[in-house]
């Protein structure tokens, strides 16, 4: 059974940093890209970014709203994907989901339960 | 950026009725890299349809997806609404970065 478990959320002040982790199990982690999405309270879904598999270069892409502030990395030996969030803004407040995304010929799709990040002074 | 516009915003229907949800893209979504998700309050999204018309694993056949030849108009149809189908539905493209979602259609009990 595929499982994705996010951790690291919490309350943080504007301008500070936070790192989220996504621990995966039940599939060959290194074969897949991993993605982060978010959902602000009462709002719709927003893509944050993704990291390709090492076979595809391990490169990253980000939404314009977080580009230059957020980075994604992965540790294939531990089956963990990370979302490093720097210079946090109040508008970054959201539930953050990690996902094994569609794309690159893959048709499996799984999501974690989400972790809440609240940016407030 | 590909903008996805969903309609209607809210659909009020009774169990057993047919639901038709629309997703229009601002430019062609190549290779039909368009997905539909269902989300209930407090839960993560769940994939229903990928590649515009392919049901994900475990999704009942009352859910179907289709797309126009232009690659800009997509439809999710729920043939007979069950109580568990009342939720918010999102379309999403995964053609090229940035991936984007529609704003969602809420299917509520009439």
């Amino acid at each position: 059974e595929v499982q994705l478990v996010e951790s690291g959320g919490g309350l943080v002040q504007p301008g500070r940093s936070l790192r989220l982790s996504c621990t995966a199990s039940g599939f060959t982690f290194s074969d897949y890209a991993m993605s982060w999405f978010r959902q602000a309270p009462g709002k719709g879904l927003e893509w944050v970014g993704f990291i390709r598999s090492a076979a595809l270069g391990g490169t990253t892409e980000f939404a314009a709203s977080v580009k230059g502030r957020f980075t994604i990395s992965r540790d294939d030996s531990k089956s963990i994907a990370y979302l490093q969030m720097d210079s946090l803004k109040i508008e970054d407040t959201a539930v953050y989901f990690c996902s094994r995304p569609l794309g690159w010929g893959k048709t499996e799709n799984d999501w974690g339960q989400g972790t809440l990040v609240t940016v407030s002074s | 950026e590909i903008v996805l516009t969903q309609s209607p915003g809210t659909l009020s229907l009774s169990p057993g009725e047919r639901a038709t949800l629309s997703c229009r893209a601002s430019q062609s979504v190549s290779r039909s890299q368009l997905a539909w998700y269902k989300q209930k309050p407090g839960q993560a999204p769940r994939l229903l349809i990928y590649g515009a018309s392919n049901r994900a694993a475990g999704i009942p056949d009352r859910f179907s997806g289709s797309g126009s030849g232009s690659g800009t108009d997509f439809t999710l149809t729920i043939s007979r609404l069950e109580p568990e189908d009342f939720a918010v539905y999102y379309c999403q493209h995964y053609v090229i970065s940035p991936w984007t979602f529609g704003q969602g259609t809420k299917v509520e009990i009439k």
Side-chain angles (χ1 to χ4, degrees), chain A:
Chain A
E1 179 194 4
V2 172
Q3 280 198 312
L4 298 172
V5 179
E6 301 96 338
S7 58
L11 175 64
V12 61
Q13 292 179 324
R16 303 299 291 265
S17 298
L18 201 63
R19 188 178 80 162
L20 305 182
S21 300
C22 172
T23 302
S25 60
F27 65 99
T28 305
F29 183 78
S30 58
D31 286 349
Y32 290 84
M34 293 298 294
S35 187
W36 289 90
F37 298 86
R38 68 183 181 183
Q39 188 167 37
K43 302 297 185 182
L45 295 166
E46 180 186 15
W47 170 70
V48 172
F50 62 68
I51 184 167
R52 296 177 177 87
S53 65
L56 294 176
T59 51
T60 56
E61 302 283 350
F62 293 94
S65 57
V66 306
K67 197 168 186 177
R69 299 188 298 122
F70 289 13
T71 57
I72 298 175
S73 60
R74 61 191 299 157
D75 185 336
D76 288 348
S77 69
K78 296 181 179 178
S79 297
I80 301 177
Y82 300 99
L83 177 65
Q84 177 68 40
M85 303 183 292
D86 298 325
S87 304
L88 281 161
K89 303 176 181 181
I90 290 175
E91 53 264 38
D92 294 319
T93 294
V95 174
Y96 285 74
F97 298 98
C98 74
S99 171
R100 180 169 66 149
L102 295 169
W104 301 280
K106 306 293 190 184
T107 59
E108 305 91 344
N109 175 249
D110 303 277
W111 295 68
Q113 82 288 352
T115 186
L116 176 62
V117 173
T118 303
V119 184
S120 174
S121 55

